[in-house]
Amino acid sequence: MTTTMTSTKSATKTTMTKTITLNENKQRRRQISRTTKKSNNNRQQRRRRIYSTSSVAMNSNKNDANSTIDDDEDGSVMISKREILLKSSIGGFISSSLFFNAREVQADVDEDDERTPINTRTDEREQKMSIMPDMMRDKRTVLITGSNSGIGFAAAKKFAKTNEFKVILACRTLDKAKKAKNEIIKAIEDEEGGFVKDKSLLVEAECDLGDLTSIKTFAESLGDEPIDLLCLNAGVQFAGSKEVNRTKDGFEQSMGVDHLGHFLLTNLLLPNVESAAKSSTKKPRIVITASEVHDPESPGGKVGRGAGLGNFEGIKDAGVDFDLMDGSEFDADKAYKDSKLANILFANELNRRLRLADSQINVVSFGPGLITRGSNFFQHTNPLFVKVFDFAANDLFHVAETVDGGGNCLLFMALSPDLENKSGIYYNNDLGGETGHTFHETLSSKESRNLDEARELWTWSEALVNQEFGVYRAL
């Protein structure tokens, strides 16, 4: 089989075109029909989208875990997951083509490796991340989602304080981004010796990760601008809520914002990130803010129901109207944990695809620790619960991290020269060390390292955002 892949950029934004030459003897057929799952609650029915037929490349002598293919001697094509979503919406019978498989590339992490812990509460790490001038561009560009609060704001301030970066403040609304810019400038200038040399290097931008149209508009607005550091940091959670909160496109909001919004944004901006390697001495990097709660065996992950995406029965049964991806009874806390699991599965699959494409982009993810103060993270949670929980975490048991410490974690993942030639790795901010917290490389959960599940999440995510992305060839 010969596969030729080309990537082009139109005036409207990035699209990836895939030219596929398939061995006729390798083609297979599978036809799937689904009927609409009838809702048992009083939730208002939303109009479900009808997805068009599309295809992605595969060459395999065995069934791919994402498609569960049945052999058919007539050499016909298979059906995509988009059509499964179509069946869940309107019923019927359609056939389409879905081909993708590639060799497995695992994150280069050894359980027995000795790793050096990093102190998140000192300036030592910031000193290690000295900024070396680039050869072809005066300033590198960092884009941070959720940069108006919490560790996103803290990290954006640290980047701006160096006066060595163009910082794109990607926030849910433009007003939030403008306010963040003003607060960052004031905070820096209020510090002794602090100043912002060029305020225009702090760029306000609107990117609502709960709205696919907003994401596409934002990505289009960036044009061909190189992005050296893409920090996928924004996140929402609704712990304690009995109601399923939804994005503008109908997705459960934790999964819709934390994973699906970032999934689409990243794929639309990959050419921008890849192109940064051409004009910098450093490799571009994608940094994903996850959480230790993705792991049911972690201290935070053990509380309540654990993360797990199952066999994606929720999507198969309800399409875009899924409550939880595994199809189980809704639990807002589990929805957030699932979104963090999806973050790491996405990081691993993106890394696998980029390595196959000989890309210069590195992909890393991390858990910043439990942060209860100085952040809007618990804004949707019962105020009384938050007050009690905050007191216990900070003043009673001393297990919480500070916003500044979390910002240092993000900064380290984005700038540390120790990670220049590493990709597909995970760091976690655990308890321990002289200051009470130790930031170190470790293995993420067992499920998050399931490469078959990571591939399947990718294709389901493509179907949900109604856009397919192939294996990328380095520009």
Side-chain angles (χ1 to χ4, degrees):
M1 184 186 81
T2 302
T3 304
T4 304
M5 300 185 182
T6 62
S7 61
T8 62
K9 262 197 147 176
S10 66
T12 59
K13 191 51 193 169
T14 304
T15 58
M16 292 290 175
T17 60
K18 301 172 282 290
T19 305
I20 313 298
T21 304
L22 295 171
N23 186 329
E24 293 181 355
N25 294 327
K26 301 291 184 182
Q27 293 185 355
R28 299 164 177 180
R29 179 178 184 173
R30 188 183 181 216
Q31 298 176 320
I32 303 173
S33 64
R34 296 276 185 183
T35 57
T36 305
K37 178 185 178 182
K38 296 186 180 297
S39 176
N40 293 322
N41 56 35
N42 294 325
R43 185 177 68 215
Q44 180 181 5
Q45 284 191 334
R46 290 171 301 278
R47 181 181 180 183
R48 295 184 175 107
R49 298 164 299 182
I50 299 178
Y51 297 108
S52 61
T53 300
S54 187
S55 62
V56 180
M58 181 180 96
N59 176 28
S60 177
N61 293 324
K62 60 184 179 179
N63 292 355
D64 184 276
N66 291 347
S67 53
T68 318
I69 307 163
D70 295 328
D71 287 324
D72 196 320
E73 293 181 355
D74 67 2
S76 298
V77 295
M78 300 175 297
I79 196 164
S80 76
K81 285 184 171 122
R82 291 191 185 188
E83 271 56 56
I84 297 180
L85 296 189
L86 173 61
K87 306 307 167 299
S88 72
S89 299
I90 63 173
F93 181 87
I94 300 177
S95 62
S96 176
S97 58
L98 173 66
F99 295 92
F100 179 81
N101 189 31
R103 71 181 185 272
E104 296 181 349
V105 179
Q106 297 184 341
D108 186 18
V109 176
D110 188 334
E111 289 187 72
D112 297 325
D113 284 348
E114 291 186 3
R115 304 179 175 100
T116 303
I118 296 131
N119 185 349
T120 65
R121 301 215 180 190
T122 69
D123 294 329
E124 179 181 350
R125 188 186 323 171
E126 294 184 72
Q127 294 170 2
K128 285 183 65 178
M129 297 177 289
S130 58
I131 312 301
M132 295 179 61
D134 296 310
M135 293 179 62
M136 290 170 274
R137 274 184 291 130
D138 292 335
K139 308 291 183 185
R140 288 197 291 164
T141 297
V142 55
L143 190 160
I144 309 175
T145 64
S147 47
N148 59 296
S149 66
I151 68 173
F153 178 87
K157 185 181 76 172
K158 293 173 187 292
F159 277 113
K161 187 178 178 180
T162 68
N163 289 299
E164 296 291 342
F165 292 91
K166 176 179 180 179
V167 184
I168 300 176
L169 306 170
C171 303
R172 185 166 56 86
T173 67
L174 189 58
D175 285 343
K176 289 181 180 295
K178 289 179 177 179
K179 183 180 178 182
K181 175 178 179 175
N182 292 333
E183 290 178 348
I184 288 171
I185 293 172
K186 184 178 185 305
I188 293 173
E189 293 182 343
D190 282 349
E191 295 178 6
E192 185 177 352
F195 71 99
V196 178
K197 185 176 180 180
D198 184 352
K199 294 178 175 61
S200 69
L201 291 178
L202 275 169
V203 181
E204 317 101 313
E206 180 174 308
C207 180
D208 184 351
L209 291 165
D211 182 354
L212 299 182
T213 300
S214 175
I215 296 169
K216 293 174 183 177
T217 300
F218 169 63
E220 182 180 348
S221 73
L222 294 175
D224 297 323
E225 179 171 359
I227 298 174
D228 300 86
L229 303 167
L230 177 59
C231 301
L232 309 177
N233 168 74
V236 296
Q237 61 91 23
F238 296 86
S241 174
K242 302 299 181 183
E243 179 183 351
V244 182
N245 295 278
R246 303 242 171 221
T247 69
K248 290 184 179 180
D249 301 282
F251 307 131
E252 186 282 316
Q253 197 155 359
S254 292
M255 188 63 74
V257 171
D258 300 0
H259 167 61
L260 291 171
H262 281 135
F263 173 84
L264 177 61
L265 178 65
T266 302
N267 278 289
L268 292 176
L269 294 183
L270 272 181
N272 301 68
V273 181
E274 190 73 64
S275 68
K278 291 183 175 182
S279 53
S280 174
T281 60
K282 301 178 181 67
K283 294 180 180 179
R285 201 175 294 183
I286 296 175
V287 179
I288 300 176
T289 303
S291 170
E292 75 162 31
V293 301
H294 84 277
D295 185 356
E297 298 301 316
S298 70
K302 287 179 179 179
V303 179
R305 293 166 60 188
L309 305 186
N311 294 317
F312 301 95
E313 290 299 326
I315 306 175
K316 294 174 185 176
D317 289 345
V320 298
D321 283 342
F322 71 89
D323 293 345
L324 293 176
M325 279 195 170
D326 67 357
S328 63
E329 182 180 358
F330 180 72
D331 180 305
D333 183 53
K334 176 174 165 35
Y336 174 71
K337 293 174 182 175
D338 286 353
S339 75
K340 297 293 100 179
L341 171 61
N343 285 159
I344 301 178
L345 286 165
F346 167 54
N348 290 340
E349 175 63 6
L350 177 61
N351 174 64
R352 185 183 72 86
R353 289 177 175 233
L354 293 175
R355 301 289 70 77
L356 289 174
D358 295 324
S359 170
Q360 292 296 304
I361 302 172
N362 288 337
V363 184
V364 295
S365 57
F366 74 103
L370 174 63
I371 300 172
T372 63
R373 294 177 178 174
S375 169
N376 294 329
F377 185 70
F378 291 97
Q379 61 182 313
H380 301 293
T381 305
N382 183 293
L384 179 60
F385 168 81
V386 173
K387 190 173 182 178
V388 173
F389 183 70
D390 174 77
F391 173 76
N394 287 276
D395 303 316
L396 191 59
F397 299 109
H398 306 288
V399 296
E401 177 59 279
T402 64
V403 167
D404 190 67
N408 281 339
C409 291
L410 195 158
L411 207 70
F412 175 84
M413 299 303 291
L415 296 181
S416 173
D418 295 343
L419 307 186
E420 178 67 12
N421 294 309
K422 289 189 175 184
S423 191
I425 61 172
Y426 175 76
Y427 269 67
N428 200 61
N429 193 11
D430 289 319
L431 297 177
E434 294 180 0
T435 62
H437 287 83
T438 303
F439 192 51
H440 64 112
E441 182 181 349
T442 187
L443 287 173
S444 57
S445 73
K446 181 178 180 181
E447 183 172 350
S448 72
R449 289 178 279 122
N450 184 324
L451 298 182
D452 290 336
E453 184 173 339
R455 283 197 295 268
E456 189 160 6
L457 174 64
W458 182 286
T459 54
W460 278 121
S461 300
E462 287 181 321
L464 289 165
V465 303
N466 194 24
Q467 194 161 345
E468 288 185 350
F469 305 96
V471 176
Y472 294 86
R473 181 173 63 85
L475 300 177

